[in-house]
Amino acid sequence: DAEITQSPRHKITETGRQVTLACHQTWNHNNMFWYRQDLGHGLRLIHYSYGVHDTNKGEVSDGYSVSRSNTEDLPLTLESAASSQTSVYFCASSVVGGDTGELFFGEGSRLTVL
Amino acid sequence: AQKVTQAQTEISVVEKEDVTLDCVYETRDTTYYLFWYKQPPSGELVFLIRRNSFDEQNEISGRYSWNFQKSTSSFNFTITASQVVDSAVYFCALSGKYSSASKIIFGSGTRLSIRP
């Protein structure tokens, strides 16, 4: 069955370190998204991509970067992790155009920055 | 700018009661889409429904129903005869098809607790 997987599921890191969260989907969806979930804020969009080599900033993109070299993967990189980036991160994909179609979510990656 | 407001942070009801989760949205788009997602205690996000701005018909799916009213910019979700398994965080979301910020925006969520 097609799926979307995130790794690692849990990570603890230190302030200033570079961290990469992986997201891999096997649906062949063009659209992929990264959200972070924090208490009281719901899900906030970090970055999104509508296809290979396309990336766009979301509402909370500062301190994060993404790259899209193939259809299946959209890794999220924190260049220099900060305590404010402690959160649960969700990757998602969709097929019809991310603004109209159902989002399929990964299981989430819990990141703690000490 | 697009915005989704879920004013109810937490709701607690006794099993078998009916409960309505409110969702109010803001958008300048004439074509847009509204969603509800469920996040049970296990943490995954589950799609419940998508509704486009041209379809104001209410929808019912078992114990779940959705009331979309463009006049009040609301897309409320009602659970009839609630069950403990309905305990979860529920998110309302909005996207616009042709706006420059063409992506799905989520509300802050409503935590629903169903007491036995």
Side-chain angles (χ1 to χ4, degrees), chain A residues 38-75:
Chain A
D38 305 287
L39 195 63
H41 292 281
L43 290 155
R44 291 182 291 176
L45 184 62
I46 305 171
H47 281 285
Y48 57 105
S49 168
Y50 287 150
V52 177
H53 302 310
D54 174 74
T55 61
N56 305 280
K57 293 182 179 181
E59 55 186 317
V60 290
S61 60
D62 287 349
Y64 303 94
S65 63
V66 293
S67 62
R68 188 88 179 271
S69 58
N70 58 53
T71 300
E72 296 79 18
D73 300 289
L74 186 70

